[in-house]
Amino acid sequence: MQVHTERAFEDEICDHLDQSGWLVSHNDAGYDKRRALYPEDLWAWLRDANPEGFAKVFGPPDAPNDHKRNQTLERLVKQLGQDAYDHGGGTLNTLRKGIDVVGAKRFPLIQQPPQDNLNPATHELYAKNRLRVVRQVRYSTSHGNSIDLVLFCNGLPVATIELKTDATQSVDDAILQYKKDRDPKDEPLLTPGRGALVHFAVSTDQVFMTTQLAGARTWFLPFNRGHNHGAGNPPIDGTCPSAYLWRETLQRDTWLEILAKFVYLKHETTTDPVTAEKRTTTHVRFPRYHQWRAVTKLVQATRAEGSGESYLVQHSAGSGKTDSIAWLAHRLAALHTEDGQKVFDGVIVIADRQVLDKQLQQAIDQLVTKTGTFQAITRGGDASKSKRLSEALIEGKPIIGVTLQTFPEALAKIQEAGGLNERRYAVIADEAHSSQTGDATAKLRVALNYTPADGPIDDDEDALRAMAERANEDGRMSFFAFTATPKEKTLKLFGRRPTPDAKPEPFDLYPMKQAIEEGFILDVLKNYSTWKMYARLQARTGEEIDVDKAAGQKAYKRFTELNPTTITEKTRVIVKHFTEIVQPLLGGRAKAMVVTDSRAAALRYKQAFDAVVDELELPIKALVAFSGEVEDQTSKTTPKAKLTEAQANPDARGKALDEAFKRDEFKLMIVANKYQTGFDQPLLCAMYVDKQLSGITAVQTLSRLNRAATGKDQTYVVDFVNDGEAIRAAFQEYYEDARILTESDEHLVYDLRNKLDAADIYTWQEVDLMYQAWTATGGAKKHTAVLSRVYPARDRWDDAWRAANIDGVDAEAQERCREFKSVAAQYVRAYDFFSQFVNYGDPAYEKLAVFLRLLVRMLNDTTTSETPVDVSGVVLTHFRLEKLKEESLALAPDKAEGLSGMTEAGMAAQRERERATKAEVIEYVNDLFEGSELTEADRVSSIETLMRKVMEDEDLKVQANVNARSDFIHSPTLRVAVEDALWSADVGHQDAMKRLRSNDIEAVVKALIRLGLQDSLREVN
């Protein structure tokens, strides 16, 4: 026989299964094609599962009751054919719940894998589960077509497999065969829900699967391991790349575990937006390879390691995280050690409210046999949720779902005395479902009693990390963090080191590259166009008013961006692009999002959009999303009237905007922070960006576009603000795997302490006495006693600040005060972070952290005062929008720079302010936006190119952070970097660069300093 034929391929698979505990039938002689059952295995299993009941109902082996057997087979066929949603029928429900036969108690149809080793009878019955593979199954009563392999469990069909060898055909041919020649109509084996649960298309290279055959509309998903962070499978020594399917997935214990604990039925109810008619559909959910791999690895590691560990799962958008979380929660809630001890007393899932109420609730209910296993605490006011949360925890609900805002309260209740503080919990967090209202992190700061000394909580990932740092001192909690875009600190805290000297890595990885190549998400950077705004401002009068330069720049830039002319012209670009390019997509159903940088800008865009579409008589509408109230600048009243979200969207008719946006009349959603993340609308095909984006925020925001939908193969981004290369770099970090370039240095704590000790603001006697009062128990612990030990240090700092402001300003003395406060805050953050995994061996570091956390709160905030700049005397005289370029920002393998951690002692000082006249600041803004003449645009472009080139110098970045402006401007390194850049950055601006080179180098250096070079270097670093 030729080894490259399908027959040889089939032989190899069946031989392996035969040696692995499967029953193998080399023909379909025992298959009942009318009923789609393998009766021999069914009777053998029922006899093993309940010998007494079987003998009583069906008679002894030598005198079987054939009538009763046929009656039972017909009863089973009827149950398999009933609707799963209304009647609980179908293959999966029947397999898990068993069958009732008159005269005996219910017969199970599968024995699930035992939780522990305590019950030998369970292990014995589990070993009797009958797995069978049947070759060349002629499945139909109306024709002779056959399927290569059909898999059965205790007589019920659970999977079909079509094989192709890549020497002659490909996996696409197997998929085409299913679509063209495997019509499920009137075929019980192929009928969705009634027959096999999953259908595999298998070649020697790849594996694809579907759970619902529907002719040409059948959608196959890859069931591949991934190769080089992308699609496909890696080679396997001695066999073909797809051999993992039968060597691993179809391994007896694995396959039974998938049938018993992974596969579930998803019921989806949709409401027609016009008729309000509801329709429920049901389909089988079968895990993709990476979902099975991640959950299985997590369960195995947790059983071995016990509670108190952390795990980071980096799974891209499109990975199916909700299903993965449901499977993991279900498994952890019932996880036992081999000797029968539960690993966790409960599981807490942190996710978006909609996910908890719908997807997770449904998935977990399908997976468990006992009702009431999962309870979501999402509805009602704070008092109501608090009461239900307490009851759920006290009652010991196996799985509790909370939003991120509610989790701190759950944490507090668990840590209280009374029994809960001795329980062990698994905490699963879906960080990708960020708050859609934009105020979650603010609530968390209050709930956690957070201060600036504790470090920034900029998003939900920061908040979860902060709670994990504080919650698990006694090792009773395990954290399982799911995220597509981990930060360096998250990798450090939750990641795993393959070897002691290696950098932390995710516990499991499903990267963006693989999700894109497998078709689960789209590459949103393929059609990326950037626009530049040119504007000129002019003072109404010639007055010279002294203003802070940075504050003035910010104020006048803001004035330009919110000017009605600016927003109207951008809106015209948006409307033209949408109606001509985007709207025709998806049969006219395509939608878009406009991302603005403030609630005020979002409202103005909505008003401008309404005016433009009314003027052009276009039949499209927009919604604007914001929280609270926003001042309506078009209002004629004094003071200006304020609008709520509902008032700004009368056509939504009171519906939640994410629901209203599903209606066909609404084509654009205008947002600031709300819905920028955690919003899933597959019909989004374009995004118009008028907001500065960088890093993770850029990836999360633009990723709203990447959701796949039928017929969706293009997305568009029109960006009015950002540089395309910066956006590409942000995505590149998470295209394959998030890596740490510069790992946080635990020695930072030593360096910071040395700096603080040298400032002579506190004494170590004060620190020791404060800590004694802080750790006192019972009546000895008094709030005033703790504070009294901190007051002397506060007073010394206040005295130093006052002395710096007597008889004028002593800038150097001010800087020392600001430096102390800044370094003290960083010490608290650094110690809190590093102490999670480093034992410093000296209690002094812990004492100082507690002392400084209190002290920093007491120091007057003198570092952020800024006099508001009056823009009422400024007018916009010129404005132009110009499209710079449209390109595909291609992502490439192995191009990520890596994530940087905390490595340098001291924080960058509060930037040194420079005073200038209002006219000078206006001219500075005009330099940024420039006028309409081409020569001016070239000049500005050449300066920006030069600035970017200079900023690449690593030594200069360090000097910018550790030197005052007066020292930095005289740096020899600065001059060398500028000269090098002048002679290397001439591409596209040759004439302008020649003129720059003709200048004295000192003039060029001074110009770059005035344009903010040092501040930009500090921000980059």
Side-chain angles (χ1 to χ4, degrees):
M1 181 189 300
Q2 293 181 317
V3 296
H4 64 272
T5 64
E6 285 182 26
R7 177 67 180 273
F9 190 24
E10 193 177 301
D11 286 340
E12 181 179 341
I13 295 172
C14 291
D15 288 346
H16 181 85
L17 294 179
D18 188 24
Q19 297 169 21
S20 304
W22 283 67
L23 302 169
V24 178
S25 296
H26 293 283
N27 58 56
D28 63 357
Y31 175 65
D32 185 337
K33 66 179 67 174
R34 182 179 69 82
R35 297 185 175 111
L37 296 170
Y38 205 90
E40 177 188 335
D41 286 352
L42 174 67
W43 302 129
W45 164 255
L46 294 180
R47 184 184 302 109
D48 288 338
N50 185 358
E52 293 181 5
F54 184 88
K56 179 180 177 182
V57 174
F58 299 111
D62 55 347
N65 186 335
D66 292 335
H67 172 73
K68 192 66 175 179
R69 291 195 178 198
N70 284 327
Q71 187 181 61
T72 300
L73 286 176
E74 293 305 317
R75 166 68 181 160
L76 180 58
V77 168
K78 180 180 179 181
Q79 185 170 320
L80 290 168
Q82 287 180 326
D83 180 76
Y85 183 71
D86 291 325
H87 301 287
T91 299
L92 187 61
N93 282 331
T94 302
L95 187 67
R96 293 216 177 121
K97 296 178 181 178
I99 183 171
D100 291 313
V101 179
V102 175
K105 66 180 182 179
R106 174 174 291 187
F107 285 90
L109 285 172
I110 189 174
Q111 173 57 56
Q112 296 203 10
Q115 297 284 3
D116 51 48
N117 294 330
L118 297 183
N119 191 333
T122 302
H123 278 270
E124 183 180 350
L125 183 58
Y126 171 72
K128 292 180 179 179
N129 280 309
R130 299 174 70 86
L131 297 180
R132 180 181 295 273
V133 55
V134 183
R135 303 177 64 169
Q136 297 300 319
V137 176
R138 289 166 293 181
Y139 58 89
S140 178
T141 58
S142 59
H143 58 72
N145 290 351
S146 65
I147 295 175
D148 290 335
L149 301 175
V150 179
L151 310 183
F152 295 84
C153 177
N154 297 326
L156 273 65
V158 290
T160 72
I161 302 176
E162 288 288 0
L163 299 173
K164 303 295 175 187
T165 172
D166 286 284
T168 56
Q169 291 180 295
S170 70
V171 72
D172 292 332
D173 294 297
I175 290 173
L176 185 62
Q177 188 171 23
Y178 269 117
K179 290 182 176 182
K180 290 183 62 178
D181 301 332
R182 302 292 179 257
D183 186 355
K185 185 179 180 181
D186 299 325
E187 301 293 354
L189 177 64
L190 306 181
T191 300
R194 157 63 179 91
L197 300 172
V198 63
H199 308 276
F200 289 108
V202 182
S203 75
T204 48
D205 277 347
Q206 298 194 68
V207 181
F208 280 71
M209 68 174 185
T210 185
T211 59
Q212 186 157 347
L213 294 175
R217 295 180 293 106
T218 304
W219 185 28
F220 274 83
L221 308 178
F223 189 78
N224 292 321
R225 299 164 68 194
H227 184 40
N228 290 333
H229 296 123
N233 289 305
I236 301 176
D237 187 42
T239 186
C240 63
S242 63
Y244 66 92
L245 177 66
W246 53 94
R247 290 185 170 190
E248 186 178 55
T249 306
L250 297 182
Q251 191 271 337
R252 181 181 172 84
D253 289 334
T254 300
W255 187 244
L256 286 169
E257 185 178 74
I258 289 174
L259 294 178
K261 299 183 177 182
F262 278 91
V263 188
Y264 78 93
L265 297 175
K266 184 175 183 179
H267 307 299
E268 285 187 293
T269 301
T270 56
T271 302
D272 189 292
V274 178
T275 66
E277 181 181 353
K278 292 187 176 181
R279 180 171 177 266
T280 299
T281 58
T282 300
H283 60 275
V284 174
R285 301 291 283 183
F286 192 93
R288 287 150 61 187
Y289 182 85
H290 70 272
Q291 293 174 314
W292 167 81
R293 178 193 65 209
V295 172
T296 301
K297 283 170 56 181
L298 288 166
V299 170
Q300 290 173 347
T302 306
R303 178 180 281 120
E305 297 171 359
S307 63
E309 300 297 327
S310 295
Y311 308 87
L312 176 64
V313 180
Q314 183 187 339
H315 281 193
S316 166
S319 67
K321 284 196 293 291
T322 300
D323 276 344
S324 299
I325 289 172
W327 283 315
L328 180 61
H330 165 56
R331 299 293 301 281
L332 294 180
L335 185 62
H336 289 70
T337 61
E338 291 186 357
D339 61 358
Q341 299 298 313
K342 285 198 72 174
V343 177
F344 299 110
D345 296 290
V347 177
I348 299 175
V349 179
I350 306 172
D352 177 76
R353 189 177 76 177
Q354 185 174 354
V355 173
L356 291 171
D357 285 347
K358 296 179 181 179
Q359 297 162 279
L360 275 174
Q361 177 81 62
Q362 185 184 105
I364 293 173
D365 285 348
Q366 286 287 319
L367 290 167
V368 301
T369 56
K370 182 180 178 182
T371 59
T373 296
F374 177 74
Q375 181 171 347
I377 312 295
T378 56
R379 301 293 179 181
D382 290 342
S384 173
K385 284 193 287 189
S386 177
K387 182 174 182 292
R388 287 187 291 118
L389 178 60
S390 295
E391 292 172 349
L393 288 168
I394 292 170
E395 291 172 8
K397 286 283 185 182
I399 306 173
I400 300 173
V402 298
T403 61
L404 191 57
Q405 296 96 313
T406 308
F407 180 61
E409 185 172 351
L411 210 54
K413 293 183 182 298
I414 291 170
Q415 292 173 330
E416 291 173 358
L420 289 180
N421 61 342
E422 297 179 359
R423 296 182 184 178
R424 297 181 303 275
Y425 289 90
V427 179
I428 306 173
D430 181 6
E431 299 163 57
H433 290 91
S434 302
S435 167
Q436 294 182 2
T437 61
D439 63 353
T441 54
K443 293 180 179 178
L444 283 160
R445 288 189 185 96
V446 176
L448 291 168
N449 193 27
Y450 239 62
T451 72
D454 297 310
I457 299 183
D458 296 325
D459 55 25
D460 292 357
E461 184 177 325
D462 287 335
L464 174 70
R465 189 177 60 247
M467 286 184 281
E469 288 172 350
R470 294 189 175 190
N472 200 32
E473 295 178 356
D474 54 1
R476 292 184 298 104
M477 284 192 177
S478 289
F479 281 84
F480 303 81
F482 284 74
T483 179
T485 52
K487 296 181 178 180
E488 186 274 341
K489 287 185 178 180
T490 306
L491 274 169
K492 183 88 173 180
L493 183 61
F494 293 114
R496 293 293 179 97
R497 299 178 187 271
T499 63
D501 296 331
K503 294 177 180 178
E505 297 177 354
F507 185 84
D508 193 79
L509 173 69
Y510 179 77
M512 182 193 303
K513 178 183 176 184
Q514 186 174 352
I516 291 173
E517 291 184 358
E518 291 186 340
F520 288 102
I521 61 174
L522 280 75
D523 183 354
V524 301
L525 303 184
K526 277 193 172 181
N527 299 298
Y528 203 102
S529 59
T530 50
W531 290 65
K532 189 172 182 67
M533 178 173 68
Y534 298 95
R536 180 169 290 280
L537 304 178
Q538 180 177 313
R540 295 180 188 274
T541 63
E543 83 275 21
E544 298 293 331
I545 303 175
D546 192 43
V547 298
D548 177 88
K549 183 165 186 175
Q553 176 190 348
K554 181 178 179 181
Y556 295 133
K557 184 172 182 287
R558 190 80 184 131
F559 169 81
T560 304
E561 291 170 339
L562 286 178
N563 189 279
T565 299
T566 306
I567 289 181
T568 298
E569 290 307 307
K570 290 179 181 178
T571 301
R572 290 186 183 280
V573 170
I574 291 170
V575 171
K576 178 179 174 63
H577 183 273
F578 180 80
T579 54
E580 293 180 1
I581 305 297
V582 181
Q583 191 174 4
L585 302 175
L586 303 181
R589 297 182 301 126
K591 298 178 184 288
M593 178 176 281
V594 181
V595 179
T596 71
D597 68 350
S598 69
R599 297 182 306 151
L603 181 58
R604 290 196 183 188
Y605 261 107
K606 171 62 161 59
Q607 294 166 337
F609 179 87
D610 290 345
V612 170
V613 297
D614 186 54
E615 172 193 329
L616 300 176
E617 298 181 348
L618 297 172
I620 57 177
K621 295 181 180 180
L623 296 168
V624 58
F626 58 85
S627 56
E629 295 181 331
V630 178
E631 192 173 87
D632 179 10
Q633 293 300 315
T634 65
S635 171
K636 304 299 183 182
T637 63
T638 304
K640 298 286 188 184
K642 293 184 177 181
L643 296 179
T644 64
E645 184 180 82
Q647 292 169 329
N649 298 285
D651 292 334
R653 300 195 290 272
K655 293 282 188 181
L657 293 196
D658 55 339
E659 288 297 320
F661 194 48
K662 295 177 182 178
R663 289 169 20 205
D664 191 56
E665 63 189 290
F666 295 114
K667 296 298 186 183
L668 280 85
M669 175 80 84
I670 303 169
V671 306
N673 291 322
K674 195 174 182 182
Y675 296 122
Q676 187 176 328
T677 60
F679 178 61
D680 194 356
Q681 172 49 266
L683 299 183
L684 280 180
C685 293
M687 184 172 287
Y688 303 95
V689 181
D690 197 14
K691 178 177 183 175
Q692 192 74 43
L693 299 175
S694 62
I696 288 177
T697 303
V699 177
Q700 292 179 337
T701 299
L702 296 176
S703 292
R704 298 305 100 203
L705 281 180
N706 67 18
R707 300 310 193 261
T710 303
K712 180 178 175 181
D713 58 4
Q714 293 287 339
T715 63
Y716 295 87
V717 177
V718 175
D719 196 328
F720 297 111
V721 177
N722 301 284
D723 174 65
E725 287 305 312
I727 298 297
R728 186 210 308 265
F731 271 79
Q732 192 70 61
E733 289 295 344
Y734 302 102
Y735 184 54
E736 296 182 306
D737 57 338
R739 309 169 190 171
I740 296 179
L741 173 65
T742 306
E743 190 172 357
S744 297
D745 181 7
E746 56 263 30
H747 298 95
L748 175 61
V749 172
Y750 298 133
D751 299 334
L752 293 172
R753 175 184 166 178
N754 292 336
K755 272 194 171 188
L756 293 166
D757 286 350
D760 292 328
I761 295 295
Y762 56 82
T763 69
W764 273 97
Q765 182 182 20
E766 291 163 354
V767 173
D768 287 334
L769 291 173
M770 186 283 305
Y771 195 75
Q772 289 177 19
W774 177 269
T775 54
T777 58
K781 184 170 184 177
K782 295 181 180 179
H783 180 66
T784 54
V786 172
L787 296 181
S788 68
R789 303 304 182 183
V790 184
Y791 286 147
R794 179 204 62 181
D795 294 342
R796 291 188 197 98
W797 189 92
D798 286 345
D799 290 343
W801 179 257
R802 281 192 294 270
N805 289 275
I806 295 175
D807 297 329
V809 175
D810 184 341
E812 187 175 345
Q814 278 191 347
E815 184 60 32
R816 285 197 296 270
C817 291
R818 289 169 173 157
E819 176 85 0
F820 176 85
K821 181 179 178 181
S822 175
V823 174
Q826 191 182 15
Y827 178 91
V828 173
R829 291 201 299 272
Y831 180 79
D832 281 353
F833 177 63
F834 288 117
S835 62
Q836 298 302 304
F837 36 82
V838 175
N839 180 3
Y840 282 100
D842 185 345
Y845 293 98
E846 167 74 17
K847 295 177 181 179
L848 185 59
V850 175
F851 183 89
L852 292 175
R853 181 176 284 110
L854 295 175
L855 176 61
V856 170
R857 300 179 188 186
M858 298 180 181
L859 303 184
N860 293 328
D861 189 3
T862 59
T863 63
T864 58
S865 59
E866 190 174 273
T867 304
V869 178
D870 181 14
V871 298
S872 60
V874 177
V875 292
L876 179 68
T877 59
H878 298 78
F879 179 85
R880 177 167 63 89
L881 269 177
E882 180 180 290
K883 185 176 182 179
L884 294 182
K885 54 183 162 181
E886 184 169 343
E887 58 187 328
S888 173
L889 302 179
L891 299 172
D894 297 320
K895 294 296 184 182
E897 293 184 2
L899 305 173
S900 296
M902 295 187 292
T903 56
E904 293 190 10
M907 296 178 65
Q910 180 79 3
R911 60 182 177 78
E912 300 150 21
R913 299 188 178 277
E914 180 180 342
R915 308 299 293 180
T917 65
K918 177 181 277 192
E920 287 172 335
V921 173
I922 291 174
E923 187 57 36
Y924 181 66
V925 174
N926 286 332
D927 285 342
L928 292 178
F929 293 109
E930 200 44 49
S932 60
E933 292 79 14
L934 181 61
T935 55
E936 291 181 356
D938 284 344
R939 188 181 311 155
V940 170
S941 182
S942 66
I943 287 287
E944 291 174 344
T945 301
L946 181 64
M947 177 88 81
R948 286 195 296 269
K949 195 67 180 177
V950 172
M951 288 173 60
E952 293 176 2
D953 192 291
E954 295 298 326
D955 291 336
L956 211 56
K957 292 178 183 178
V958 175
Q959 291 187 11
N961 276 277
V962 299
N963 285 283
R965 188 186 300 274
S966 58
D967 295 325
F968 179 71
I969 196 171
H970 296 296
S971 165
T973 305
L974 173 59
R975 279 144 187 80
V976 173
V978 172
E979 286 186 344
D980 288 346
L982 278 170
W983 290 98
S984 62
D986 56 348
V987 178
H989 308 285
Q990 293 183 9
D991 293 336
M993 296 304 292
K994 286 179 181 177
R995 288 196 295 271
L996 280 175
R997 293 181 194 129
S998 67
N999 285 284
D1000 180 80
I1001 188 65
E1002 296 301 321
V1004 179
V1005 169
K1006 185 176 180 180
L1008 292 175
I1009 293 293
R1010 285 179 58 81
L1011 286 166
L1013 173 61
Q1014 187 176 10
D1015 289 338
S1016 298
L1017 284 166
R1018 286 173 170 177
E1019 291 172 2
V1020 169
N1021 206 42

